[in-house]
Amino acid sequence: EVVLTQSPDFQSVTPKEKVTITCRASQSIGSSLHWYQQKPDQSPKLLIKYASQSISGVPSRFSGSGSGTDFTLTINSLEPEDAAAYYCHQTSSLPLTFGQGTKLEIK
Amino acid sequence: EVQLVESGGGLVQPGGSLRLSCAASGFTLSLYTMYWVRQAPGKGLECVSGVGTRGDDTFYVDSVKGSFTISRDNSRNTLHLQMGSLRPDDMAVYYCARGTGSGWNDVFDLWGQGTMVTVSS
């Protein structure tokens, strides 16, 4: 099973800050890594697919990078509505697994 | 409107059974691999099962193998999850999700609102 480890678990940030969340896989997964955003009491929403591909309708301040075992989600110029939990997700091999999540709090 | 709507959650005693359903609308279910993802209260996401477009290719996370059965009725645009031998650690919000990609290498591009399963005596 591919274990995904995100860091940090929690981060408190101010608006307009740049935020970086990392996701490390326990084995190489190529580019089969996706990012989701989940706001309180909502379903998850796809933000980035296949490590770096943008999603229609997602603000351009969200970007992704990486391949193999190390991946990054970057949020440029954080907005108050970005307060949420963020999860990475690998689809390289079964079972499909998620990272433990990173909770972003906006100060 | 393109959407997924889950139903069937509720309170069940340990050892009991429950059948979840997910109704798809606004798109043709038969074209997509489908998944069930759960989230225990205050916890992260776990993909428990997936089913291929024709229903004959499935997978399960180890913790539910032999207890849960995923199925689909493409003629009715509906996905199901039959859950048996339920344990307290199965308690979670269960989401259905649509996969878009190749084989199991899918992104989950559409999610339902979730249905809560409570396992308690």
PDB file of all heavy atoms in Angstrom, chain A residues 32 34 36 38 42-44 46 49-50 87 89 91 94-96 98 100, chain B residues 35 39 43-45 47 59 95 100-101 104-109 111-113:
ATOM      1  N   SER A  32       0.709  10.231 -10.673  1.00  0.00           N
ATOM      2  CA  SER A  32      -0.660   9.847 -10.311  1.00  0.00           C
ATOM      3  C   SER A  32      -1.035  10.371  -8.929  1.00  0.00           C
ATOM      4  O   SER A  32      -1.407   9.616  -8.012  1.00  0.00           O
ATOM      5  CB  SER A  32      -0.806   8.321 -10.371  1.00  0.00           C
ATOM      6  OG  SER A  32      -0.605   7.873 -11.690  1.00  0.00           O
ATOM      7  N   HIS A  34      -3.150  13.599  -6.935  1.00  0.00           N
ATOM      8  CA  HIS A  34      -4.179  14.624  -7.109  1.00  0.00           C
ATOM      9  C   HIS A  34      -4.416  15.326  -5.782  1.00  0.00           C
ATOM     10  O   HIS A  34      -4.136  14.755  -4.710  1.00  0.00           O
ATOM     11  CB  HIS A  34      -5.476  13.972  -7.617  1.00  0.00           C
ATOM     12  CG  HIS A  34      -5.234  12.861  -8.591  1.00  0.00           C
ATOM     13  ND1 HIS A  34      -4.717  13.073  -9.849  1.00  0.00           N
ATOM     14  CD2 HIS A  34      -5.383  11.512  -8.462  1.00  0.00           C
ATOM     15  CE1 HIS A  34      -4.568  11.902 -10.463  1.00  0.00           C
ATOM     16  NE2 HIS A  34      -4.969  10.934  -9.641  1.00  0.00           N
ATOM     17  N   TYR A  36      -7.221  17.636  -3.379  1.00  0.00           N
ATOM     18  CA  TYR A  36      -8.604  17.995  -3.128  1.00  0.00           C
ATOM     19  C   TYR A  36      -8.674  19.008  -1.997  1.00  0.00           C
ATOM     20  O   TYR A  36      -7.846  18.982  -1.080  1.00  0.00           O
ATOM     21  CB  TYR A  36      -9.430  16.760  -2.736  1.00  0.00           C
ATOM     22  CG  TYR A  36      -9.492  15.722  -3.826  1.00  0.00           C
ATOM     23  CD1 TYR A  36      -8.475  14.776  -3.953  1.00  0.00           C
ATOM     24  CD2 TYR A  36     -10.539  15.688  -4.736  1.00  0.00           C
ATOM     25  CE1 TYR A  36      -8.507  13.825  -4.965  1.00  0.00           C
ATOM     26  CE2 TYR A  36     -10.574  14.741  -5.755  1.00  0.00           C
ATOM     27  CZ  TYR A  36      -9.551  13.826  -5.860  1.00  0.00           C
ATOM     28  OH  TYR A  36      -9.581  12.889  -6.869  1.00  0.00           O
ATOM     29  N   GLN A  38     -11.401  20.412   0.937  1.00  0.00           N
ATOM     30  CA  GLN A  38     -12.667  20.140   1.609  1.00  0.00           C
ATOM     31  C   GLN A  38     -12.937  21.226   2.636  1.00  0.00           C
ATOM     32  O   GLN A  38     -12.225  21.330   3.643  1.00  0.00           O
ATOM     33  CB  GLN A  38     -12.666  18.761   2.280  1.00  0.00           C
ATOM     34  CG  GLN A  38     -14.035  18.390   2.849  1.00  0.00           C
ATOM     35  CD  GLN A  38     -14.062  17.029   3.500  1.00  0.00           C
ATOM     36  OE1 GLN A  38     -13.072  16.570   4.051  1.00  0.00           O
ATOM     37  NE2 GLN A  38     -15.217  16.362   3.441  1.00  0.00           N
ATOM     38  N   GLN A  42     -18.682  20.230   3.806  1.00  0.00           N
ATOM     39  CA  GLN A  42     -18.848  20.083   2.360  1.00  0.00           C
ATOM     40  C   GLN A  42     -18.129  18.839   1.874  1.00  0.00           C
ATOM     41  O   GLN A  42     -17.285  18.270   2.554  1.00  0.00           O
ATOM     42  CB  GLN A  42     -18.308  21.309   1.623  1.00  0.00           C
ATOM     43  CG  GLN A  42     -19.089  22.583   1.881  1.00  0.00           C
ATOM     44  CD  GLN A  42     -18.629  23.725   1.006  1.00  0.00           C
ATOM     45  OE1 GLN A  42     -17.953  23.527  -0.011  1.00  0.00           O
ATOM     46  NE2 GLN A  42     -18.996  24.948   1.372  1.00  0.00           N
ATOM     47  N   SER A  43     -18.480  18.436   0.667  1.00  0.00           N
ATOM     48  CA  SER A  43     -17.783  17.327   0.018  1.00  0.00           C
ATOM     49  C   SER A  43     -16.433  17.820  -0.497  1.00  0.00           C
ATOM     50  O   SER A  43     -16.264  19.019  -0.751  1.00  0.00           O
ATOM     51  CB  SER A  43     -18.612  16.807  -1.159  1.00  0.00           C
ATOM     52  OG  SER A  43     -19.917  16.503  -0.784  1.00  0.00           O
ATOM     53  N   PRO A  44     -15.506  16.905  -0.676  1.00  0.00           N
ATOM     54  CA  PRO A  44     -14.222  17.305  -1.287  1.00  0.00           C
ATOM     55  C   PRO A  44     -14.424  17.808  -2.715  1.00  0.00           C
ATOM     56  O   PRO A  44     -15.365  17.420  -3.411  1.00  0.00           O
ATOM     57  CB  PRO A  44     -13.409  16.005  -1.271  1.00  0.00           C
ATOM     58  CG  PRO A  44     -14.018  15.192  -0.174  1.00  0.00           C
ATOM     59  CD  PRO A  44     -15.487  15.510  -0.221  1.00  0.00           C
ATOM     60  N   LEU A  46     -12.121  18.637  -6.341  1.00  0.00           N
ATOM     61  CA  LEU A  46     -10.854  18.432  -7.043  1.00  0.00           C
ATOM     62  C   LEU A  46     -10.201  19.769  -7.364  1.00  0.00           C
ATOM     63  O   LEU A  46     -10.835  20.656  -7.945  1.00  0.00           O
ATOM     64  CB  LEU A  46     -11.115  17.655  -8.330  1.00  0.00           C
ATOM     65  CG  LEU A  46      -9.927  17.345  -9.225  1.00  0.00           C
ATOM     66  CD1 LEU A  46      -8.920  16.436  -8.518  1.00  0.00           C
ATOM     67  CD2 LEU A  46     -10.400  16.716 -10.538  1.00  0.00           C
ATOM     68  N   LYS A  49      -5.044  17.813 -10.758  1.00  0.00           N
ATOM     69  CA  LYS A  49      -4.962  16.403 -11.130  1.00  0.00           C
ATOM     70  C   LYS A  49      -3.607  16.068 -11.733  1.00  0.00           C
ATOM     71  O   LYS A  49      -2.950  16.946 -12.308  1.00  0.00           O
ATOM     72  CB  LYS A  49      -6.084  16.027 -12.086  1.00  0.00           C
ATOM     73  CG  LYS A  49      -6.026  16.728 -13.432  1.00  0.00           C
ATOM     74  CD  LYS A  49      -7.190  16.278 -14.315  1.00  0.00           C
ATOM     75  CE  LYS A  49      -7.128  16.946 -15.684  1.00  0.00           C
ATOM     76  NZ  LYS A  49      -8.260  16.527 -16.548  1.00  0.00           N
ATOM     77  N   TYR A  50      -3.205  14.806 -11.584  1.00  0.00           N
ATOM     78  CA  TYR A  50      -1.943  14.303 -12.138  1.00  0.00           C
ATOM     79  C   TYR A  50      -0.788  15.266 -11.846  1.00  0.00           C
ATOM     80  O   TYR A  50      -0.047  15.679 -12.737  1.00  0.00           O
ATOM     81  CB  TYR A  50      -2.110  14.010 -13.632  1.00  0.00           C
ATOM     82  CG  TYR A  50      -3.186  12.973 -13.870  1.00  0.00           C
ATOM     83  CD1 TYR A  50      -4.428  13.334 -14.384  1.00  0.00           C
ATOM     84  CD2 TYR A  50      -2.989  11.639 -13.511  1.00  0.00           C
ATOM     85  CE1 TYR A  50      -5.441  12.399 -14.542  1.00  0.00           C
ATOM     86  CE2 TYR A  50      -3.998  10.697 -13.666  1.00  0.00           C
ATOM     87  CZ  TYR A  50      -5.220  11.088 -14.181  1.00  0.00           C
ATOM     88  OH  TYR A  50      -6.214  10.163 -14.327  1.00  0.00           O
ATOM     89  N   TYR A  87      -6.214  17.544   0.852  1.00  0.00           N
ATOM     90  CA  TYR A  87      -5.802  16.148   0.833  1.00  0.00           C
ATOM     91  C   TYR A  87      -5.107  15.821  -0.487  1.00  0.00           C
ATOM     92  O   TYR A  87      -5.586  16.212  -1.565  1.00  0.00           O
ATOM     93  CB  TYR A  87      -7.009  15.217   0.957  1.00  0.00           C
ATOM     94  CG  TYR A  87      -7.742  15.307   2.267  1.00  0.00           C
ATOM     95  CD1 TYR A  87      -8.810  16.173   2.445  1.00  0.00           C
ATOM     96  CD2 TYR A  87      -7.361  14.507   3.352  1.00  0.00           C
ATOM     97  CE1 TYR A  87      -9.486  16.252   3.643  1.00  0.00           C
ATOM     98  CE2 TYR A  87      -8.037  14.578   4.562  1.00  0.00           C
ATOM     99  CZ  TYR A  87      -9.090  15.447   4.700  1.00  0.00           C
ATOM    100  OH  TYR A  87      -9.763  15.522   5.902  1.00  0.00           O
ATOM    101  N   HIS A  89      -3.928  12.539  -2.954  1.00  0.00           N
ATOM    102  CA  HIS A  89      -4.585  11.272  -3.274  1.00  0.00           C
ATOM    103  C   HIS A  89      -3.811  10.604  -4.395  1.00  0.00           C
ATOM    104  O   HIS A  89      -3.542  11.232  -5.410  1.00  0.00           O
ATOM    105  CB  HIS A  89      -6.026  11.573  -3.719  1.00  0.00           C
ATOM    106  CG  HIS A  89      -6.803  10.399  -4.221  1.00  0.00           C
ATOM    107  ND1 HIS A  89      -7.665  10.486  -5.297  1.00  0.00           N
ATOM    108  CD2 HIS A  89      -6.886   9.126  -3.782  1.00  0.00           C
ATOM    109  CE1 HIS A  89      -8.228   9.315  -5.507  1.00  0.00           C
ATOM    110  NE2 HIS A  89      -7.778   8.472  -4.593  1.00  0.00           N
ATOM    111  N   THR A  91      -3.404   7.500  -7.207  1.00  0.00           N
ATOM    112  CA  THR A  91      -4.146   6.501  -7.982  1.00  0.00           C
ATOM    113  C   THR A  91      -3.203   5.652  -8.818  1.00  0.00           C
ATOM    114  O   THR A  91      -3.588   5.111  -9.857  1.00  0.00           O
ATOM    115  CB  THR A  91      -5.193   7.193  -8.868  1.00  0.00           C
ATOM    116  OG1 THR A  91      -4.550   8.145  -9.723  1.00  0.00           O
ATOM    117  CG2 THR A  91      -6.234   7.886  -8.026  1.00  0.00           C
ATOM    118  N   LEU A  94      -3.546   0.102  -6.319  1.00  0.00           N
ATOM    119  CA  LEU A  94      -4.554  -0.232  -5.328  1.00  0.00           C
ATOM    120  C   LEU A  94      -3.891  -0.696  -4.028  1.00  0.00           C
ATOM    121  O   LEU A  94      -2.855  -1.365  -4.073  1.00  0.00           O
ATOM    122  CB  LEU A  94      -5.478  -1.335  -5.855  1.00  0.00           C
ATOM    123  CG  LEU A  94      -6.317  -1.000  -7.084  1.00  0.00           C
ATOM    124  CD1 LEU A  94      -7.162  -2.201  -7.486  1.00  0.00           C
ATOM    125  CD2 LEU A  94      -7.191   0.217  -6.834  1.00  0.00           C
ATOM    126  N   PRO A  95      -4.462  -0.374  -2.870  1.00  0.00           N
ATOM    127  CA  PRO A  95      -5.657   0.454  -2.709  1.00  0.00           C
ATOM    128  C   PRO A  95      -5.363   1.927  -2.950  1.00  0.00           C
ATOM    129  O   PRO A  95      -4.246   2.389  -2.686  1.00  0.00           O
ATOM    130  CB  PRO A  95      -6.043   0.204  -1.249  1.00  0.00           C
ATOM    131  CG  PRO A  95      -4.741  -0.051  -0.565  1.00  0.00           C
ATOM    132  CD  PRO A  95      -3.904  -0.792  -1.558  1.00  0.00           C
ATOM    133  N   LEU A  96      -6.329   2.641  -3.496  1.00  0.00           N
ATOM    134  CA  LEU A  96      -6.186   4.080  -3.680  1.00  0.00           C
ATOM    135  C   LEU A  96      -6.157   4.714  -2.292  1.00  0.00           C
ATOM    136  O   LEU A  96      -6.989   4.387  -1.439  1.00  0.00           O
ATOM    137  CB  LEU A  96      -7.354   4.638  -4.495  1.00  0.00           C
ATOM    138  CG  LEU A  96      -7.643   3.927  -5.826  1.00  0.00           C
ATOM    139  CD1 LEU A  96      -8.779   4.638  -6.560  1.00  0.00           C
ATOM    140  CD2 LEU A  96      -6.408   3.829  -6.696  1.00  0.00           C
ATOM    141  N   PHE A  98      -5.286   8.220   0.422  1.00  0.00           N
ATOM    142  CA  PHE A  98      -5.227   9.654   0.637  1.00  0.00           C
ATOM    143  C   PHE A  98      -4.185   9.973   1.694  1.00  0.00           C
ATOM    144  O   PHE A  98      -3.903   9.139   2.572  1.00  0.00           O
ATOM    145  CB  PHE A  98      -6.573  10.179   1.135  1.00  0.00           C
ATOM    146  CG  PHE A  98      -7.682  10.180   0.106  1.00  0.00           C
ATOM    147  CD1 PHE A  98      -8.461   9.051  -0.090  1.00  0.00           C
ATOM    148  CD2 PHE A  98      -7.951  11.311  -0.645  1.00  0.00           C
ATOM    149  CE1 PHE A  98      -9.483   9.042  -1.032  1.00  0.00           C
ATOM    150  CE2 PHE A  98      -8.971  11.322  -1.587  1.00  0.00           C
ATOM    151  CZ  PHE A  98      -9.737  10.179  -1.779  1.00  0.00           C
ATOM    152  N   GLN A 100      -3.161  12.241   5.078  1.00  0.00           N
ATOM    153  CA  GLN A 100      -3.950  12.436   6.300  1.00  0.00           C
ATOM    154  C   GLN A 100      -4.640  13.786   6.340  1.00  0.00           C
ATOM    155  O   GLN A 100      -5.500  14.026   7.195  1.00  0.00           O
ATOM    156  CB  GLN A 100      -3.055  12.247   7.542  1.00  0.00           C
ATOM    157  CG  GLN A 100      -2.226  13.470   7.932  1.00  0.00           C
ATOM    158  CD  GLN A 100      -0.933  13.610   7.153  1.00  0.00           C
ATOM    159  OE1 GLN A 100      -0.718  12.959   6.126  1.00  0.00           O
ATOM    160  NE2 GLN A 100      -0.037  14.463   7.653  1.00  0.00           N
TER     161      GLN A 100
ATOM    162  N   TYR B  35     -16.843   5.095  -7.301  1.00  0.00           N
ATOM    163  CA  TYR B  35     -16.173   4.793  -6.045  1.00  0.00           C
ATOM    164  C   TYR B  35     -17.047   5.166  -4.851  1.00  0.00           C
ATOM    165  O   TYR B  35     -17.919   6.026  -4.949  1.00  0.00           O
ATOM    166  CB  TYR B  35     -14.868   5.599  -5.955  1.00  0.00           C
ATOM    167  CG  TYR B  35     -13.894   5.306  -7.063  1.00  0.00           C
ATOM    168  CD1 TYR B  35     -13.970   5.976  -8.278  1.00  0.00           C
ATOM    169  CD2 TYR B  35     -12.893   4.356  -6.893  1.00  0.00           C
ATOM    170  CE1 TYR B  35     -13.077   5.702  -9.306  1.00  0.00           C
ATOM    171  CE2 TYR B  35     -11.982   4.086  -7.905  1.00  0.00           C
ATOM    172  CZ  TYR B  35     -12.093   4.754  -9.117  1.00  0.00           C
ATOM    173  OH  TYR B  35     -11.199   4.475 -10.127  1.00  0.00           O
ATOM    174  N   GLN B  39     -15.499   8.953   5.368  1.00  0.00           N
ATOM    175  CA  GLN B  39     -14.796   9.880   6.250  1.00  0.00           C
ATOM    176  C   GLN B  39     -15.391   9.752   7.642  1.00  0.00           C
ATOM    177  O   GLN B  39     -16.524  10.177   7.881  1.00  0.00           O
ATOM    178  CB  GLN B  39     -14.914  11.304   5.738  1.00  0.00           C
ATOM    179  CG  GLN B  39     -14.104  12.322   6.500  1.00  0.00           C
ATOM    180  CD  GLN B  39     -14.067  13.676   5.798  1.00  0.00           C
ATOM    181  OE1 GLN B  39     -15.046  14.108   5.192  1.00  0.00           O
ATOM    182  NE2 GLN B  39     -12.928  14.362   5.862  1.00  0.00           N
ATOM    183  N   LYS B  43     -12.059  12.876  10.872  1.00  0.00           N
ATOM    184  CA  LYS B  43     -10.912  12.178  10.292  1.00  0.00           C
ATOM    185  C   LYS B  43     -10.761  12.466   8.800  1.00  0.00           C
ATOM    186  O   LYS B  43     -11.492  13.275   8.232  1.00  0.00           O
ATOM    187  CB  LYS B  43     -11.059  10.663  10.514  1.00  0.00           C
ATOM    188  CG  LYS B  43     -11.202  10.257  11.969  1.00  0.00           C
ATOM    189  CD  LYS B  43      -9.963  10.606  12.782  1.00  0.00           C
ATOM    190  CE  LYS B  43     -10.087  10.084  14.209  1.00  0.00           C
ATOM    191  NZ  LYS B  43      -8.903  10.452  15.041  1.00  0.00           N
ATOM    192  N   GLY B  44      -9.796  11.787   8.181  1.00  0.00           N
ATOM    193  CA  GLY B  44      -9.525  11.991   6.775  1.00  0.00           C
ATOM    194  C   GLY B  44     -10.356  11.085   5.879  1.00  0.00           C
ATOM    195  O   GLY B  44     -11.298  10.427   6.301  1.00  0.00           O
ATOM    196  N   LEU B  45      -9.969  11.063   4.600  1.00  0.00           N
ATOM    197  CA  LEU B  45     -10.705  10.340   3.575  1.00  0.00           C
ATOM    198  C   LEU B  45     -10.119   8.949   3.360  1.00  0.00           C
ATOM    199  O   LEU B  45      -8.902   8.759   3.395  1.00  0.00           O
ATOM    200  CB  LEU B  45     -10.651  11.128   2.262  1.00  0.00           C
ATOM    201  CG  LEU B  45     -11.199  12.549   2.319  1.00  0.00           C
ATOM    202  CD1 LEU B  45     -10.829  13.316   1.058  1.00  0.00           C
ATOM    203  CD2 LEU B  45     -12.710  12.533   2.505  1.00  0.00           C
ATOM    204  N   CYS B  47     -10.777   5.640   0.611  1.00  0.00           N
ATOM    205  CA  CYS B  47     -11.472   5.040  -0.520  1.00  0.00           C
ATOM    206  C   CYS B  47     -11.708   3.565  -0.206  1.00  0.00           C
ATOM    207  O   CYS B  47     -10.756   2.792  -0.119  1.00  0.00           O
ATOM    208  CB  CYS B  47     -10.656   5.201  -1.793  1.00  0.00           C
ATOM    209  SG  CYS B  47     -11.479   4.548  -3.264  1.00  0.00           S
ATOM    210  N   PHE B  59     -12.779  -3.419  -6.582  1.00  0.00           N
ATOM    211  CA  PHE B  59     -11.750  -3.547  -5.559  1.00  0.00           C
ATOM    212  C   PHE B  59     -12.322  -3.073  -4.228  1.00  0.00           C
ATOM    213  O   PHE B  59     -13.299  -2.312  -4.176  1.00  0.00           O
ATOM    214  CB  PHE B  59     -10.469  -2.792  -5.919  1.00  0.00           C
ATOM    215  CG  PHE B  59     -10.534  -1.309  -5.677  1.00  0.00           C
ATOM    216  CD1 PHE B  59     -10.271  -0.762  -4.423  1.00  0.00           C
ATOM    217  CD2 PHE B  59     -10.869  -0.449  -6.714  1.00  0.00           C
ATOM    218  CE1 PHE B  59     -10.351   0.604  -4.211  1.00  0.00           C
ATOM    219  CE2 PHE B  59     -10.940   0.910  -6.505  1.00  0.00           C
ATOM    220  CZ  PHE B  59     -10.689   1.445  -5.249  1.00  0.00           C
ATOM    221  N   TYR B  95     -19.345   8.892   0.889  1.00  0.00           N
ATOM    222  CA  TYR B  95     -19.519   9.645  -0.344  1.00  0.00           C
ATOM    223  C   TYR B  95     -19.404   8.708  -1.547  1.00  0.00           C
ATOM    224  O   TYR B  95     -18.539   7.815  -1.560  1.00  0.00           O
ATOM    225  CB  TYR B  95     -18.411  10.692  -0.506  1.00  0.00           C
ATOM    226  CG  TYR B  95     -18.344  11.763   0.545  1.00  0.00           C
ATOM    227  CD1 TYR B  95     -17.426  11.688   1.591  1.00  0.00           C
ATOM    228  CD2 TYR B  95     -19.166  12.893   0.479  1.00  0.00           C
ATOM    229  CE1 TYR B  95     -17.339  12.695   2.547  1.00  0.00           C
ATOM    230  CE2 TYR B  95     -19.079  13.906   1.432  1.00  0.00           C
ATOM    231  CZ  TYR B  95     -18.169  13.790   2.456  1.00  0.00           C
ATOM    232  OH  TYR B  95     -18.080  14.791   3.396  1.00  0.00           O
ATOM    233  N   THR B 100     -12.668   9.790 -13.333  1.00  0.00           N
ATOM    234  CA  THR B 100     -12.379  10.154 -14.719  1.00  0.00           C
ATOM    235  C   THR B 100     -10.907   9.922 -14.945  1.00  0.00           C
ATOM    236  O   THR B 100     -10.077  10.529 -14.269  1.00  0.00           O
ATOM    237  CB  THR B 100     -12.718  11.639 -14.961  1.00  0.00           C
ATOM    238  OG1 THR B 100     -14.107  11.846 -14.706  1.00  0.00           O
ATOM    239  CG2 THR B 100     -12.410  12.020 -16.390  1.00  0.00           C
ATOM    240  N   GLY B 101     -10.583   9.024 -15.841  1.00  0.00           N
ATOM    241  CA  GLY B 101      -9.179   8.734 -16.097  1.00  0.00           C
ATOM    242  C   GLY B 101      -9.049   7.457 -16.886  1.00  0.00           C
ATOM    243  O   GLY B 101      -9.785   7.251 -17.850  1.00  0.00           O
ATOM    244  N   TRP B 104      -8.003   2.289 -12.905  1.00  0.00           N
ATOM    245  CA  TRP B 104      -8.176   2.834 -11.554  1.00  0.00           C
ATOM    246  C   TRP B 104      -7.395   4.127 -11.379  1.00  0.00           C
ATOM    247  O   TRP B 104      -7.461   4.751 -10.315  1.00  0.00           O
ATOM    248  CB  TRP B 104      -7.705   1.817 -10.513  1.00  0.00           C
ATOM    249  CG  TRP B 104      -8.431   0.511 -10.547  1.00  0.00           C
ATOM    250  CD1 TRP B 104      -7.876  -0.721 -10.738  1.00  0.00           C
ATOM    251  CD2 TRP B 104      -9.848   0.284 -10.389  1.00  0.00           C
ATOM    252  NE1 TRP B 104      -8.848  -1.701 -10.717  1.00  0.00           N
ATOM    253  CE2 TRP B 104     -10.057  -1.119 -10.503  1.00  0.00           C
ATOM    254  CE3 TRP B 104     -10.944   1.116 -10.160  1.00  0.00           C
ATOM    255  CZ2 TRP B 104     -11.319  -1.700 -10.395  1.00  0.00           C
ATOM    256  CZ3 TRP B 104     -12.205   0.541 -10.050  1.00  0.00           C
ATOM    257  CH2 TRP B 104     -12.381  -0.844 -10.165  1.00  0.00           C
ATOM    258  N   ASN B 105      -6.668   4.565 -12.382  1.00  0.00           N
ATOM    259  CA  ASN B 105      -5.880   5.794 -12.298  1.00  0.00           C
ATOM    260  C   ASN B 105      -6.767   6.994 -12.590  1.00  0.00           C
ATOM    261  O   ASN B 105      -6.576   7.728 -13.549  1.00  0.00           O
ATOM    262  CB  ASN B 105      -4.703   5.733 -13.269  1.00  0.00           C
ATOM    263  CG  ASN B 105      -3.686   6.820 -12.998  1.00  0.00           C
ATOM    264  OD1 ASN B 105      -3.784   7.579 -12.027  1.00  0.00           O
ATOM    265  ND2 ASN B 105      -2.700   6.922 -13.863  1.00  0.00           N
ATOM    266  N   ASP B 106      -7.765   7.160 -11.722  1.00  0.00           N
ATOM    267  CA  ASP B 106      -8.814   8.152 -11.917  1.00  0.00           C
ATOM    268  C   ASP B 106      -8.643   9.334 -10.979  1.00  0.00           C
ATOM    269  O   ASP B 106      -8.161   9.176  -9.862  1.00  0.00           O
ATOM    270  CB  ASP B 106     -10.182   7.543 -11.588  1.00  0.00           C
ATOM    271  CG  ASP B 106     -10.726   6.685 -12.712  1.00  0.00           C
ATOM    272  OD1 ASP B 106     -10.280   6.842 -13.863  1.00  0.00           O
ATOM    273  OD2 ASP B 106     -11.635   5.877 -12.422  1.00  0.00           O
ATOM    274  N   VAL B 107      -9.127  10.467 -11.425  1.00  0.00           N
ATOM    275  CA  VAL B 107      -9.377  11.552 -10.493  1.00  0.00           C
ATOM    276  C   VAL B 107     -10.855  11.505 -10.155  1.00  0.00           C
ATOM    277  O   VAL B 107     -11.678  11.105 -10.971  1.00  0.00           O
ATOM    278  CB  VAL B 107      -9.007  12.931 -11.067  1.00  0.00           C
ATOM    279  CG1 VAL B 107      -7.522  13.066 -11.232  1.00  0.00           C
ATOM    280  CG2 VAL B 107      -9.709  13.185 -12.388  1.00  0.00           C
ATOM    281  N   PHE B 108     -11.176  11.904  -8.944  1.00  0.00           N
ATOM    282  CA  PHE B 108     -12.562  11.917  -8.511  1.00  0.00           C
ATOM    283  C   PHE B 108     -13.109  13.325  -8.780  1.00  0.00           C
ATOM    284  O   PHE B 108     -12.935  14.232  -7.972  1.00  0.00           O
ATOM    285  CB  PHE B 108     -12.655  11.564  -7.035  1.00  0.00           C
ATOM    286  CG  PHE B 108     -12.195  10.177  -6.694  1.00  0.00           C
ATOM    287  CD1 PHE B 108     -12.196   9.753  -5.371  1.00  0.00           C
ATOM    288  CD2 PHE B 108     -11.769   9.285  -7.658  1.00  0.00           C
ATOM    289  CE1 PHE B 108     -11.777   8.465  -5.028  1.00  0.00           C
ATOM    290  CE2 PHE B 108     -11.349   8.007  -7.335  1.00  0.00           C
ATOM    291  CZ  PHE B 108     -11.352   7.595  -6.018  1.00  0.00           C
ATOM    292  N   ASP B 109     -13.747  13.475  -9.935  1.00  0.00           N
ATOM    293  CA  ASP B 109     -14.096  14.819 -10.368  1.00  0.00           C
ATOM    294  C   ASP B 109     -15.497  15.251  -9.964  1.00  0.00           C
ATOM    295  O   ASP B 109     -15.869  16.408 -10.165  1.00  0.00           O
ATOM    296  CB  ASP B 109     -13.908  14.970 -11.889  1.00  0.00           C
ATOM    297  CG  ASP B 109     -14.914  14.154 -12.681  1.00  0.00           C
ATOM    298  OD1 ASP B 109     -15.506  13.215 -12.119  1.00  0.00           O
ATOM    299  OD2 ASP B 109     -15.097  14.459 -13.880  1.00  0.00           O
ATOM    300  N   TRP B 111     -18.423  14.547  -6.696  1.00  0.00           N
ATOM    301  CA  TRP B 111     -18.719  13.905  -5.422  1.00  0.00           C
ATOM    302  C   TRP B 111     -20.170  14.177  -5.047  1.00  0.00           C
ATOM    303  O   TRP B 111     -20.711  15.253  -5.335  1.00  0.00           O
ATOM    304  CB  TRP B 111     -17.833  14.465  -4.312  1.00  0.00           C
ATOM    305  CG  TRP B 111     -16.358  14.227  -4.465  1.00  0.00           C
ATOM    306  CD1 TRP B 111     -15.533  14.734  -5.433  1.00  0.00           C
ATOM    307  CD2 TRP B 111     -15.539  13.445  -3.607  1.00  0.00           C
ATOM    308  NE1 TRP B 111     -14.247  14.306  -5.227  1.00  0.00           N
ATOM    309  CE2 TRP B 111     -14.220  13.521  -4.112  1.00  0.00           C
ATOM    310  CE3 TRP B 111     -15.762  12.695  -2.445  1.00  0.00           C
ATOM    311  CZ2 TRP B 111     -13.142  12.867  -3.502  1.00  0.00           C
ATOM    312  CZ3 TRP B 111     -14.699  12.052  -1.840  1.00  0.00           C
ATOM    313  CH2 TRP B 111     -13.404  12.130  -2.366  1.00  0.00           C
ATOM    314  N   GLY B 112     -20.768  13.212  -4.352  1.00  0.00           N
ATOM    315  CA  GLY B 112     -22.071  13.462  -3.765  1.00  0.00           C
ATOM    316  C   GLY B 112     -21.939  14.236  -2.465  1.00  0.00           C
ATOM    317  O   GLY B 112     -20.821  14.573  -2.036  1.00  0.00           O
ATOM    318  N   GLN B 113     -23.066  14.484  -1.828  1.00  0.00           N
ATOM    319  CA  GLN B 113     -23.068  15.258  -0.582  1.00  0.00           C
ATOM    320  C   GLN B 113     -22.794  14.382   0.631  1.00  0.00           C
ATOM    321  O   GLN B 113     -22.532  14.891   1.714  1.00  0.00           O
ATOM    322  CB  GLN B 113     -24.413  16.000  -0.424  1.00  0.00           C
ATOM    323  CG  GLN B 113     -25.514  15.197   0.239  1.00  0.00           C
ATOM    324  CD  GLN B 113     -26.089  14.093  -0.631  1.00  0.00           C
ATOM    325  OE1 GLN B 113     -25.812  14.000  -1.830  1.00  0.00           O
ATOM    326  NE2 GLN B 113     -26.918  13.236  -0.043  1.00  0.00           N
TER     327      GLN B 113
END
